[in-house]
Amino acid sequence: MNNKIIFYGLIVAFGLVVPFLFPAFKLQISIMLILIILSLTWDVQGGQMGYNTFGNILFFGLGMYICSSFQIGLFFPLAEWTASGGEKTFVHTPTQFFQGFAVGLVLSGIIPALVAALIGYGILGLRGHYFAICTLGLGIAAGELAGGIELVGAGQGMTSPPWPKGIGDTELRSEFFYYICFTLMVCTFLFLRWAYTTRFGLVLNAIRDNEDKAEAMGINTMRYKITGWVVSAFFVGMAGGLMGNMIGYIEPVETAFAGRTFGVFMVLMAILGGKGTLWGPVIGAVAFHIFKEGFWIFFLGWQYVALGALIVIVVIFFPEGIMGWFREKYPERFGEVIDEEDRKAEVKLN
Amino acid sequence: MDLFKKIFSIFAAISFFVSLALPAQAKVEGDTIILGAAVSLTGKYSTNGEHTQNGYNMAVQRINDMGGVTVGGKSYKFDIIYYDDESDSGRAAQLAERLIKQDGVQYMLGPYSSGLTKAMAPVTEENQIPMVEANGASRSLFTKGYKYLFAVLSAANQYLEVAIDLAVEKNGGNPVNIAMAFEQDAFSQDVRIGVVEAAERTGSTIIIDDKLPKELNDMAATLAKVKATKPDVLVVSGHSKGALTAIRQISEMKVDIPMLAMTHCDASKLAKQHGKNSEYALCAAQWHKTLSYSDSFFGDGQQFDKDFNDMFGYAPPYQAAESAAALLVYKAAFERANSFDKEKVRDALAQTDMQTFYGNIKFNDTGQNIAKPMVLFQVRCEGDVCANRVVAPTKWASHELVHPIPSWSTR
């Protein structure tokens, strides 16, 4: 137990000093933290519950739009902010900026969570491929819809409020968003770590292993499935709100409902790291981000080919992901007791 | 727990090596001035991203071959760090930050498309890094009070205003009925704003106003409406793919319209790809090789056209020409500033007033080039060979506008 506390303490300490160790990489690392949140929350459905969702990107985009809309709408007319591709300029005072940001960020968690509860009731009744395809449609439809809503800039996108003038420079801005991202990541991780130790976690696993049996045993699986999705939507939505602020420009299909990039990445990262484990998605996200950024430099124009090759390698050599591979190699470290005598015993077939 | 420590230390080590692999470069290394650019090498803008990159590369090579940039009595060469923004605005904003913070770039070149420029401009502006861009035409780029953004091209809303004016003129000065279909992206929606304003100004009526999805590859529904309502002019904008889709379906469905106004005809090589089917399409362009501008690096438009063709094997669309011009603007600004201080370079950029093969360049307070008009050309065929012929403004017109477009039954 002591070891664990030291280990977590070290990670948190490392996280706190990172902006000073790698000052040029603050945005990159912040985005990595967002990716960790995305893969952790995807794993609630995809890994623990066995429901492969492509729809979590819906909450990411919603969170992005909601956060920025409230940040703007609380102080200025939103329709004027986005009119004609954002021709008019409004400037937030620091107080307005931070008040708006706090309200926007909280709502960017709550509203997607409500949406998840509403649509979850219908969609989570689907299983297997049907569920996957249905959720795939969600993200695409949301992107097209957002592209038609004039209030949020439609196809021209909208800018999120720029960092207010008069309080620090771009360094302070990146540090601010880095620490918010870090806090959100830690909260997500701790919450899920706790949730997986409760009955909730066990039920999710039961649903994955045999949903009919779980139901037959008297578990209201739908309730748990919806709760799981609400949890994911809450954290993904907040991650989206943060991302919108960090990037500064929200485009319906490229940044908000970016099914082709973040929507796919979150699945990939969880699988790369090992789905159904707590640490797998974290390790997967870190490894993925480092590889991806590396490929972007060294294989300019061929980065997706290199990424494809990496996926093929993972599928062939690490079908269970990085954590799965470790688990197979060192099962005793994962609390699996191995009877050495039994293991070495000769097996005789009749 | 040791295992976790191992994993942890491995990743700490990896991140350390990654940071070593990316040393923060200085803005000027030895005798090289390093510019940064994120262009679309993959994704939906990859064709136009390539035109942009080719334009940049050709200008860098030409300037370096002709003695480079002279600052403080010493000659420097240009070099560009490229990244691929994948036609994704989120990615573009990240790359802008990466170029500035990690690669230490102090002078930026623009990406391709309004949307990506809109995503990058807030980053360069916040970091006070000058950016000369050649492919972001959105009007909203010039109303934000950006101080470090300079665009060598005319704003998007000016693209097809002229076409509406022409249609009204051909209609005896009477208002016309306009049908329009625009892709849901920053650039096309800005072109739409220009057309809407022109319609208001001339009292014309917009009878069809369709928004089309990104990566436009079907507009049959719009065309069916056009067939039924018979407007005087059809306006379509959706980058290269939109232009190709429009011509393909108009010719398949044999839609007769008196005037068809579009964008991106030369970037999509419309005249070559669709031949006679594309004849009479009216296109807005930032530049055409027959315009009578010239400079000492590329000569005139015809010369640029020839040199570009020799180097890359295809005729330069205006995207390549304006991109090359951006480098000429930078070179002149560095020499005028006679310094590498980014503030001095910015001030020198703001005072730009020069002629290039691509057109005159003079920025107003918002960084917009106000010295260069748009041109309109019409695809015309002689036998089976089709080419773009300038029809407006009259100063450079080589051919008369054919209006109305002959019906498909007579073509």
Side-chain angles (χ1 to χ4, degrees):
Chain A
M1 203 57 219
N2 257 345
N3 265 344
K4 253 187 187 170
I5 292 171
I6 294 171
F7 174 65
Y8 284 121
L10 269 178
I11 286 197
V12 171
F14 184 66
L16 290 177
V17 295
V18 155
F20 304 101
L21 289 181
F22 308 105
F25 289 79
K26 282 189 286 257
L27 179 80
Q28 297 267 25
I29 301 172
S30 306
I31 287 171
M32 188 175 84
L33 296 171
I34 298 277
L35 289 177
I36 295 177
I37 299 169
L38 293 184
S39 73
L40 268 173
T41 49
W42 182 84
D43 196 56
V44 177
Q45 279 78 47
Q48 303 286 350
M49 202 167 86
Y51 271 64
N52 289 313
T53 165
F54 291 99
N56 287 13
I57 195 70
L58 168 72
F59 310 125
F60 188 69
L62 271 181
M64 203 179 275
Y65 272 114
I66 288 165
C67 187
S68 292
S69 299
F70 275 98
Q71 273 176 279
I72 298 160
L74 283 178
F75 307 103
F76 309 107
L78 182 59
E80 277 184 41
W81 178 288
T82 52
S84 304
E87 283 194 341
K88 281 197 181 170
T89 307
F90 301 91
V91 181
H92 284 72
T93 64
T95 331
Q96 283 176 334
F97 181 85
F98 290 111
Q99 276 175 357
F101 179 69
V103 173
L105 195 61
V106 171
L107 288 174
S108 71
I110 292 171
I111 298 178
L114 291 176
V115 171
L118 276 176
I119 60 172
Y121 192 74
I123 292 175
L124 285 162
L126 299 169
R127 288 189 193 176
H129 307 307
Y130 303 100
F131 177 77
I133 292 297
C134 180
T135 51
L136 186 64
L138 278 181
I140 297 171
E144 293 301 326
L145 284 177
I149 302 173
E150 293 286 345
L151 184 64
V152 291
Q156 294 200 321
M158 71 190 273
T159 45
S160 50
W163 186 250
K165 294 224 155 55
I167 46 156
D169 51 5
T170 55
E171 296 302 313
L172 184 72
R173 174 182 185 272
S174 347
E175 272 160 31
F176 174 77
F177 285 118
Y178 171 83
Y179 284 115
I180 305 266
C181 287
F182 184 67
T183 314
L184 183 64
M185 193 278 286
V186 171
C187 290
T188 313
F189 182 86
L190 291 180
F191 181 84
L192 291 180
R193 183 171 179 273
W194 166 78
Y196 291 156
T197 61
T198 61
R199 182 183 154 83
F200 171 74
L202 291 175
V203 172
L204 289 192
N205 291 159
I207 292 171
R208 174 185 62 194
D209 296 339
N210 192 332
E211 188 168 348
D212 294 325
K213 204 182 226 174
E215 249 171 53
M217 291 172 80
I219 300 169
N220 184 351
T221 53
M222 183 54 104
R223 217 176 73 196
Y224 285 91
K225 286 192 285 186
I226 292 176
T227 316
W229 220 19
V230 166
V231 169
S232 290
F234 180 79
F235 290 113
V236 173
M238 282 176 77
L242 274 174
M243 190 73 175
N245 267 283
M246 287 195 297
I247 287 185
Y249 175 66
I250 304 174
E251 216 278 356
V253 283
E254 285 165 15
T255 42
F257 302 101
R260 230 176 348 183
T261 50
F262 290 108
V264 175
F265 292 167
M266 59 173 96
V267 183
L268 267 182
M269 292 182 295
I271 292 175
L272 174 66
K275 61 178 187 173
T277 59
L278 181 63
W279 276 96
V282 180
I283 293 167
V286 174
F288 177 80
H289 192 61
I290 291 173
F291 272 117
K292 186 164 66 79
E293 295 301 303
F295 289 156
W296 255 296
I297 302 170
F298 301 114
F299 299 94
L300 187 63
W302 289 84
Q303 65 272 39
Y304 274 115
V305 178
L307 202 58
L310 175 73
I311 294 167
V312 171
I313 290 169
V314 168
V315 170
I316 293 175
F317 296 104
F318 307 93
E320 297 292 308
I322 297 170
M323 281 303 270
W325 183 78
F326 272 118
R327 191 174 189 138
E328 217 165 81
K329 272 230 132 164
Y330 310 101
E332 61 281 10
R333 293 187 192 269
F334 287 82
E336 283 170 20
V337 185
I338 289 170
D339 190 332
E340 280 301 313
E341 266 179 35
D342 196 35
R343 189 176 168 186
K344 284 173 188 151
E346 232 174 292
V347 180
K348 275 188 186 148
L349 297 171
N350 289 336
Chain B
M1 278 305 101
D2 284 350
L3 172 67
F4 286 136
K5 273 186 195 157
K6 262 185 213 161
I7 296 170
F8 179 64
S9 49
I10 287 168
F11 282 111
I14 289 174
S15 52
F16 177 69
F17 283 117
V18 168
S19 63
L20 280 186
L22 303 162
Q25 284 160 311
K27 61 217 167 165
V28 180
E29 276 184 342
D31 62 348
T32 309
I33 302 170
I34 295 170
L35 307 169
V39 290
S40 307
L41 300 176
T42 55
K44 61 179 177 288
Y45 298 146
S46 55
T47 332
N48 285 313
E50 200 189 318
H51 298 329
T52 307
Q53 196 184 22
N54 288 345
Y56 286 157
N57 284 343
M58 184 174 169
V60 164
Q61 199 188 341
R62 184 62 60 94
I63 292 171
N64 288 350
D65 287 351
M66 291 181 69
V69 187
T70 314
V71 177
K74 194 172 165 233
S75 167
Y76 293 84
K77 303 222 175 302
F78 273 134
D79 192 20
I80 304 177
I81 302 181
Y82 285 111
Y83 286 120
D84 176 15
D85 60 37
E86 302 175 354
S87 317
D88 180 308
S89 43
R91 188 75 200 149
Q94 285 174 49
L95 289 174
E97 178 124 358
R98 176 162 167 173
L99 281 163
I100 296 165
K101 291 278 167 69
Q102 286 162 26
D103 299 327
V105 163
Q106 299 274 302
Y107 325 103
M108 297 274 280
L109 288 164
Y112 173 76
S113 92
S114 294
L116 301 190
T117 312
K118 272 169 97 169
M120 284 173 84
V123 183
T124 50
E125 195 65 23
E126 271 192 342
N127 289 287
Q128 304 182 338
I129 300 290
M131 172 156 84
V132 177
E133 58 105 347
N135 293 283
S138 181
R139 190 168 62 175
S140 58
L141 283 166
F142 311 111
T143 56
K144 291 278 185 199
Y146 290 151
K147 269 182 67 194
Y148 295 85
L149 179 87
F150 299 94
V152 299
L153 75 178
S154 308
N157 53 304
Q158 296 168 11
Y159 272 58
L160 290 172
E161 277 176 337
V162 203
I164 302 299
D165 290 336
L166 260 181
V168 171
E169 189 190 312
K170 293 281 173 192
N171 197 27
N174 300 318
V176 290
N177 287 334
I178 304 168
M180 48 194 207
F182 293 100
E183 187 185 328
Q184 278 286 21
D185 89 310
F187 166 76
S188 302
Q189 290 300 313
D190 255 49
V191 176
R192 179 180 174 278
I193 291 173
V195 174
V196 170
E197 284 173 359
E200 278 169 14
R201 197 177 63 232
T202 56
S204 300
T205 325
I206 295 167
I207 53 171
I208 299 173
D209 182 6
D210 280 359
K211 287 184 176 172
L212 302 172
K214 289 203 165 194
E215 304 215 33
L216 189 49
N217 46 32
D218 177 39
M219 51 182 296
T222 306
L223 294 178
K225 281 192 268 181
V226 168
K227 257 189 145 166
T229 53
K230 300 201 185 316
D232 299 306
V233 51
L234 170 63
V235 186
V236 179
S237 170
H239 293 271
S240 299
K241 241 180 165 174
L244 292 172
T245 305
I247 292 298
R248 179 169 53 82
Q249 294 195 319
I250 287 172
S251 60
E252 276 169 12
M253 295 171 66
K254 306 247 179 280
V255 183
D256 286 321
I257 356 138
M259 181 186 275
L260 168 66
M262 304 204 291
T263 64
H264 288 80
C265 300
D266 54 348
S268 61
K269 306 190 184 87
L270 199 60
K272 239 187 194 156
Q273 294 220 28
H274 282 301
K276 290 197 96 156
N277 283 341
S278 64
E279 196 171 11
Y280 309 118
L282 201 56
C283 287
Q286 296 277 357
W287 172 80
H288 191 268
K289 62 182 176 185
T290 57
L291 305 191
S292 54
Y293 300 114
S294 68
D295 63 51
S296 55
F297 288 91
F298 293 106
D300 58 6
Q302 299 286 7
Q303 187 62 37
F304 178 81
D305 184 73
K306 188 180 165 295
D307 292 349
F308 190 91
N309 222 327
D310 289 346
M311 201 162 164
F312 299 106
Y314 66 96
Y318 71 76
Q319 285 82 356
E322 58 197 16
S323 302
L327 265 300
L328 296 180
V329 170
Y330 252 132
K331 176 200 169 344
F334 273 117
E335 294 187 341
R336 254 198 322 280
N338 203 19
S339 156
F340 293 118
D341 180 68
K342 63 180 182 177
E343 290 301 323
K344 286 191 183 144
V345 174
R346 189 222 84 92
D347 293 341
L349 281 169
Q351 285 156 16
T352 299
D353 186 359
M354 61 193 283
Q355 188 175 81
T356 67
F357 74 97
Y358 154 81
N360 292 329
I361 298 173
K362 180 176 167 53
F363 301 116
N364 66 3
D365 289 347
T366 62
Q368 191 176 358
N369 182 9
I370 44 167
K372 184 193 77 65
M374 294 288 298
V375 290
L376 271 184
F377 55 71
Q378 194 169 30
V379 180
R380 298 293 297 278
C381 301
E382 278 156 20
D384 283 332
V385 184
C386 300
N388 303 322
R389 305 293 182 195
V390 178
V391 292
T394 32
K395 186 181 167 194
W396 290 293
S398 60
H399 286 61
E400 274 281 307
L401 174 73
V402 176
H403 186 89
I405 298 176
S407 73
W408 285 98
S409 51
T410 60
R411 281 165 77 176

